[in-house]
Amino acid sequence: MTRNAVFLIRTADRKGLVAQITGFFACRDLNILSCRQYTDVLEQKYYMRIAVELPAGLTKAELESEFAKLAAELELSYSVHYSGEVQNVAVMVSKTSHCLYDLLTNSEENLLGGGRVTLVIGNHPELEEVAEKFRVPFYCCPLKESGDEKQEAQVMDLLERHRIDLVVLARYMRVLSDNFISRYPERIINIHHAFLPAFMGGNPYQRAWERGVKMIGATAHYATADLDEGPIIEQDVERITHESLPEELRQRGRDIERRVLTRAVRAHLEHRVITSGRRTIVFSV
Amino acid sequence: MTRNAVFLIRTADRKGLVAQITGFFACRDLNILSCRQYTDVLEQKYYMRIAVELPAGLTKAELESEFAKLAAELELSYSVHYSGEVQNVAVMVSKTSHCLYDLLTNSEENLLGGGRVTLVIGNHPELEEVAEKFRVPFYCCPLKESGDEKQEAQVMDLLERHRIDLVVLARYMRVLSDNFISRYPERIINIHHAFLPAFMGGNPYQRAWERGVKMIGATAHYATADLDEGPIIEQDVERITHESLPEELRQRGRDIERRVLTRAVRAHLEHRVITSGRRTIVFSV
Amino acid sequence: MTRNAVFLIRTADRKGLVAQITGFFACRDLNILSCRQYTDVLEQKYYMRIAVELPAGLTKAELESEFAKLAAELELSYSVHYSGEVQNVAVMVSKTSHCLYDLLTNSEENLLGGGRVTLVIGNHPELEEVAEKFRVPFYCCPLKESGDEKQEAQVMDLLERHRIDLVVLARYMRVLSDNFISRYPERIINIHHAFLPAFMGGNPYQRAWERGVKMIGATAHYATADLDEGPIIEQDVERITHESLPEELRQRGRDIERRVLTRAVRAHLEHRVITSGRRTIVFSV
Amino acid sequence: MTRNAVFLIRTADRKGLVAQITGFFACRDLNILSCRQYTDVLEQKYYMRIAVELPAGLTKAELESEFAKLAAELELSYSVHYSGEVQNVAVMVSKTSHCLYDLLTNSEENLLGGGRVTLVIGNHPELEEVAEKFRVPFYCCPLKESGDEKQEAQVMDLLERHRIDLVVLARYMRVLSDNFISRYPERIINIHHAFLPAFMGGNPYQRAWERGVKMIGATAHYATADLDEGPIIEQDVERITHESLPEELRQRGRDIERRVLTRAVRAHLEHRVITSGRRTIVFSV
């Protein structure tokens, strides 16, 4: 059984980078499965996702120690990930179930890259039953107001104990504190139920109806200290007409929200996303 | 040769309206070609577009005088339009030609409902050549700053003399004065090169790139005193990736802008649009 | 608590129909909630969906008996449906779970119009566990070959006993006999994993890859004796690139299949679909 | 003024290719502007598009002679293209003008990659006026039946004399002979007014209406001896409803056809397309 390694790399752009990095693997006779790159010519930065096959004789430690030398020499920032290492995903919810269902279903069908939903946390007890259907532990951590320190400590403790790699805010409807967010940089994905930057903040479907837009959308992004301002991973929209009342927009929006969120989570768990300031590079597989 | 009449109707919603209005035409043995209606249940308003065939024996004056009685009785606001009466369209431009080309081409191919582009006004001389290709008169009305009274007077004079029914701002890039706009209520259509209400105001493609959105769009709306706030007629978007620099967004955006603008102009000229505050009802054909 | 009635009507097109039908309800002072119509000018046919509020004093029997007179007079074919009467949906599956999950989830969230999934039948036992999660009875009815009479008798018996109103073939992968299909006219919805009429028959994703198409799609249609030829209710597509191998198409396709199938089932259960030969009229809500 | 060179490469897949090819340019200190690759793992083939900056001191001849050695060593099939070398495009038409307008407009606005429409050939005289608007020479080459040898000789003679690099069949509506097609391998692009492989052959909009599809589309592909079977470059679709009669589909389809055709022509002229049997690899810019 072969294992694969995926390197996500960023560095200052300059001549010769592709040749040097791919040369590293070629010299060691490693098979390159896919190699995606992107040069941000405006900011002179270079990004690469390279997936290679690990031959039987090579350990992860050996590969990493050798690559570390190249990285030092070329001043690469990077992370490395291995196929077959399951990533634990926690889903935080409130009372709305459609995104949670979609994530649990995809997890069950092995369609979340290398991830599995292994924990559900609600600030209300309503969705316990949904988590139970899929035999995933559910914890109810109620809170009085957004950023409640005690509740967040409780949540973080759960994330620790379940060795969570990625936190997904699946219509959690509460703002996390900066302290919480800074503990999980680029490891919290939120769904906003509008096509950002349109309709930031609360009640977007009502406001979309009032503004009379002809399409509604949803946006999945990494959570940052600034609400609704984090790097966008995925967006989608659907056409509506004058006939759609706010309630129908809300219903139509569910389909958009859940597919946008699941796609974003999948891209993250497949190690296809690199952030670049407020922007993301999302490589195809 | 049969002629058709289209009635656009709005009134307070109440029981029996459809039956009463369609009954009016049924009594007179007029053939209803299409009948679209919409009840805004939140605001208790009723909208109808009804197209009927005018038999040989019935004059427009007779039809209108009889319908006026019904309208008075039922307190209908309405307008009536006839097939075969060409609507004159003026296009106002600056230096960018893609929307102008699309409107002229569609006009030439008889694909603008009952409308024809019969006048092009630029605040720069660059696009004269484009108008000339299609043998449409071009006037250059330069202006020092947005809302220049003298220039606007000149433009309004041209619109009068050419008996213009609809003004299209095809990337005109200048703000018209309230005075100008109030003279042509719901008769000026503007294209904004973003998915409103995202990226209102200037330089939307640059800002879209900076924000890292995954789709770009365009919005056609009636011009009102509040810039970019008028009732939206049509919007569309296209998916982009991290690879698209602002310049490429601008280029990709051209295709979106021109098809959104042309669709909106077509809907207006086919008498399929009724405004309702900041919203529009756009009936299908 | 008010109840609503929905009439689905078809008849030969002629003058005065709207006025006559809406007049029927207006005379009785019934409130029309929505009224959609469509005139097929090529085939001279008229279709209407009209939803009215039932006042407290009027029984279903009274309404139906009075409407029957109008229908006889105007030669209307029609059916009538009431809000609050749950429709029972059976889902037939094989081994693939994504469509089943989507239907069960939407059923659980009350997003299937007035329908509920109350029965799951598999020709393999694999998906029993999925049905159980949602506490829906599952029966395994294995068959040796498509059209197995004995197995079909068993299935029809189950449908009878569970008073099933709609059968959904959610990647059932088997062809039903004409006898079976004729028992449930316009009451069996199938999902085909391609954009019909492209790639009819087996293995569409492999064939889509071989042909090098740039979009893949899915089609939900009423099952008829001719495989993949029934009236189409809903279709959708997604853009792919040269990079997508057949296996990835299959995976991407799941998202398309399940949303197309669920939308079609919802449209049917909301009484928004009327067939017209090989075509369907699908009214908006 | 810097020039760029674009190499389109195909070869059997094996280890080390990226490193070897990019190493070639790195050794010579050439700046890689973009490098896209694709490995067809099913057929063990490797494809690359690499764009490099040509420094002032390096001639095209020198670059090509050195690259030829690498290509021989690695058994690469390849072609090389230079920015700033205008490609001449001929458009063949019949009586329908929308695609021709779009190509001429994009040509005029310098939005056809490095291409310019420099010749229009019609089998009918109708569109001469359109070509003249854009001051592009128009020749009428009428023919009695598809594959008329004499007419094709006349056309080929025109293509020769105008040094045409790419032939675009913009609703030409006639089948070219195998002899003609084989003279311009991967240099003839056709638009089919349906979403291939659905509705191959004639009258697709009528057939789409009869079949009751819910979306219509268009397909641009390289012309090959088998009609409608050539490698697909671009496709797109739009949602329709039961209300759209064949004539409206035809009209709606125009917008789809012209944008699909123009995108495909642009991709070809930007040297972003490589064929692989019946499939195309279309790299992003």
Side-chain angles (χ1 to χ4, degrees), chain C residues 261-272:
Chain C
L261 180 57
T262 297
R263 280 182 197 155
V265 168
R266 200 182 280 153
H268 176 94
L269 293 171
E270 291 175 350
H271 312 298
R272 297 193 282 109

Side-chain angles (χ1 to χ4, degrees), chain A residues 269-280:
Chain A
L269 294 170
E270 291 176 349
H271 312 299
R272 297 193 280 110
V273 188
I274 307 181
T275 60
S276 163
R278 288 182 70 200
R279 313 178 67 243
T280 61

